[in-house]
Amino acid sequence: MERGVTSDNMTPFETEMQKLNPRQREAVENIEGPVMVVAGPGTGKTQILTLRIANILARTDTPAEAILALTFTEAASANMRRRLVALIGSRGYYVRIGTFHGFCNALIQQYPEKYPAIMGGRHCMPADAMAILRAIIEEGSWTNLRPFAEKFYYVPEILKAIKDIKREGFGLDAFAELVKREKEEFESRDDLHHTKGKYKNEMKGSAQRRLEKLNRNKELSEIYVRYQEVLRTRKLYDFDDMILETIKAMESDKNFLLELQERYQYILVDEHQDTNGAQNKVLELLASFYPNPNLFVVGDEKQAIFRFQGASLDNFLYFKNKYADAKFISLEENYRSTQTILDSAQSLIEKNKAVLSLPLRAARPLRRGSLQAAEKKGKDLVQVWKFSLPEAELLFLAGRVKELFSQGVPWKNMGILYRENRDALPIADFFAAQNIPFVIESDRNVLANRLIMKLVALCNAIWRFGEDEALARILHIDFLALDPMDIYRLIRATDDEKRVSLWMLVSGSENLDMLGVREPAKIKDLYEKLARWKQQSENEELAKFISRLMRESGFLEHALKHGNYAKNMEAVGAFFDEVKKISENHQDAALRDLMEYLEVLRSHGATIRERGARLEEAVRLMTAHKAKGLEFEAVFIVGASDGHWGNKRSRKYFELPFRTVSDVSEMEKNEDERRLFYMALTRAKRVSCITYSQTSSDGRELVPSQFIEEIRENLREAHAGDEFEKAFSERREAFMAPPHELAAPGREYFSEIFRKRGLNATALNNYLSCPWRFFYQNLLRWFSSPTSLQIYGIAAHKALQMFFDARNQGKDTNKNFLLDAFRQDMAHKALGRRDKEALIKKGGVSLGGYFDAWHETWSAQTINEFRVPGVLLGKDIKLTGNLDKLELDADGRSVAVVDYKTKQPQSRNWIEGKTRDKRSGQYKRQLVFYKLLLDLKPEKTYHMKAGIIDFLEPDERGKYRRELFEITEAEKKELIETIERVADEITHLKFWNRRCDEKDCEFCRLRALMDPS
């Protein structure tokens, strides 16, 4: 963006305000009433959103918590937050920024009593939803939705239809009424039958097909009812229920709606063209208190690309109809791309019917420099490359990105955009073979990861203990380290006429000796491990068992020592996160539940998403949808063939009794595809290149996408890839070579994670105890499963929060209330029956005694689970925290911060760090940390006069203790110096070769595995 005159004395906010053009300034300064901004690509949309928030805070006395900004992806939320904090500091952490679903889910957690249908519920995982539908199909007598040959064939279509229904805001009764009315209208028509000829009085073929669709809808309506009943019975809610139930709560409880309307005085919406009907309903309700609310929406009808998620251009236009007096602002200056790229994109999008905004103008001329050669006359045109073979296309991509890199374009400033996730694999394999650093930022299926496939195969062998096929599949797994000849002898022995069981062979030393295996001890050891794991898998909580299996099998060591350990961490972390979700949703979950869950996913083509490790310096591979909001110096749109980009064929099984966003004509579908292609083109700053092959990888002939021809001819330049086809024929070995492993990410990768997550008191204590404990537990959050005592502590904290919240509201809170709250929370925990019973009994004694000891002395007013989402220490050290309880003085500002401890009481000297115990001093450091958090909080809401360590367990004499401390400025200064030192060590990886002094530290052992053998 062009820079205006600035001053060293200006704040970041004032400096950025000076850079705005007149239209942008108009959008930022109109802070009252409804405003709609049509902001094309590169026009500074995110910047005006953040500047407008900063402007509201600067010009009004509105607290940061009263501003609600809604986006469509977590990445967009993080980007907006990052920019806002850079503008206004710590206050930026207190603006409510998030996705629609995240906002609604937060309300569900904060106001459970307003959501009676899902109160105490948990989020339904995709495989759970599919499993529920499979059970419904199995139990019912469905005529249209249960084909004889494959009874579960339509489960994905049914689930998709239910999502469409919910996204349009239709509940059970409303949808059933629509279906009924549609059927009645059909039956009342007088043109359904032939009136003469051979087929007189028989129903016309078109009417029969329509009747079939109506009957499908009737069964769908009944399945919808049953599906919701099962969700409620199991205390589950799915992704779309978050919004649907929020609408219901706001419509049915006017006081709840009023409370939200009073809280959120300004509402801003990013990418409004991507909203669906239910999301717009949420906005309408929140903004309905005033006829002209402070509602600010930004979008671009030319980039409406999320129809598959329920978005529609109609929803964008809805705003103009709803608020006739709204201010309308169109941003037309583009600060990203060359005019040629903008003109080529405009010539394409003009083929669409609905275009509101005017063509974009490049706000600045081309800059000479690193791409000077590419900016000569004719070379800034859109480059279109045609190849006979897909391999030649790959060879061109590899060569071109290397050429651009040699001209000074950083790897990270090049984007390879494709249409579907599966398009990434051949590019990734070839780039790896060519030693080109890359990162796949599109969603990948963790179950297709070779490392995870080995772990799943091992789990399957344990689950199917005794079945030869399952055992045979794992014998060659590398981390089990069996001799290949021994494996051959075992397999060969089961192929003879005697049909000896493979399990029988590996279970006995005599059998192994008879076969002449070289290393019988290894095979016998494997059998004994499998037998032990089988028993443990039936008795241990799922996440605990999988964590054990990864360590004891050698899998974990293998993941850290072989290949790219950071990439392996991402895959293992994503898989284990899913395991933990299963444990949380199914308290008695065991290995069998995991395997059945994975089978449901596999049978319906569903995935577990793996988030790729973000390398700072790497070519970025992603779907065009993922590229929304990003920009690159050079963009390559690959695989641009007809049917892949445009003219995609899809069959819709249900025709719902309302016009859904996915129920469109082929022409409208192409308009959506054209918008996607337009968006992809406009990611480029200087170089835009389109490639396609005339032959697919399986030999089918392909033709170029129609979108290529729709770009005006004088704005594109065609090239034939003959030289690359020749090079391919001469270098076929390059395509046969195994992919090279990329180097593990360096300092930038880990420091970026640290900057995003920040530092809390527990993480700081972990780092000071052992940097590698911090690295694995807090920075990477890798496969840590809470122990039974940690689960107990979480339940005790939750019970006390519920108790004191109810007490603040004037409810009758006695000892039974506290113990009931504890038992209810423990009932949902993923623990074995015996452990759960023992801990519930322990909690009854400990919390009951705690209540008896202190209930007459508790403060009259408390704030519980007080969250500090972020404050800044210095310019860039983010600190966060969650304070168990604030006990307020009469003035409402002075507080004592209470930190609960469920461990045995420690001495005051231990708490203050005056003993030789390595962990001595951690509790006091936490209290000092909380003091620092409250002092750095931008709105100085509370003054911490004291900190209290409150032990929930009695000491050896049965006494309950609370230790109170006043925090001094010297202690706070010392902590600041410690945090600054630790932050510097983390961001520069100064701890990389350090180990803690604990003799058998499991985290230092994990670190040792990353060193070359």
Side-chain angles (χ1 to χ4, degrees), residues 763-781:
L764 176 62
N765 279 335
N766 281 345
Y767 183 88
L768 295 173
S769 168
C770 173
W772 293 100
R773 175 188 292 273
F774 163 82
F775 182 82
Y776 288 112
Q777 285 195 340
N778 304 105
L779 194 66
L780 297 181
R781 300 176 184 174

Side-chain angles (χ1 to χ4, degrees), residues 780-833:
L780 297 181
R781 300 176 184 174
W782 199 25
F783 57 82
S784 57
S785 177
T787 65
S788 57
L789 288 178
Q790 287 172 329
I791 291 172
Y792 166 80
I794 293 168
H797 279 64
K798 180 67 175 176
L800 287 164
Q801 178 194 354
M802 294 173 65
F803 175 86
F804 283 109
D805 281 347
R807 188 169 175 268
N808 289 338
Q809 296 166 14
K811 295 180 180 178
D812 182 19
T813 49
N814 52 27
K815 187 199 297 190
N816 286 336
F817 184 102
L818 175 62
L819 298 183
D820 285 345
F822 171 75
R823 284 190 287 264
Q824 287 172 19
D825 195 67
M826 281 295 295
H828 297 296
K829 300 301 186 186
L831 283 170
R833 182 178 57 83

Side-chain angles (χ1 to χ4, degrees), residues 200 323 336 471 504 516 554 583 766 827 834 878 926 940:
K200 184 177 181 180
Y323 304 107
R336 176 188 300 154
L471 176 59
M504 289 296 294
S583 290
N766 281 345
R834 290 183 180 178
K878 178 183 176 182
Q926 281 185 279
K940 308 295 183 185

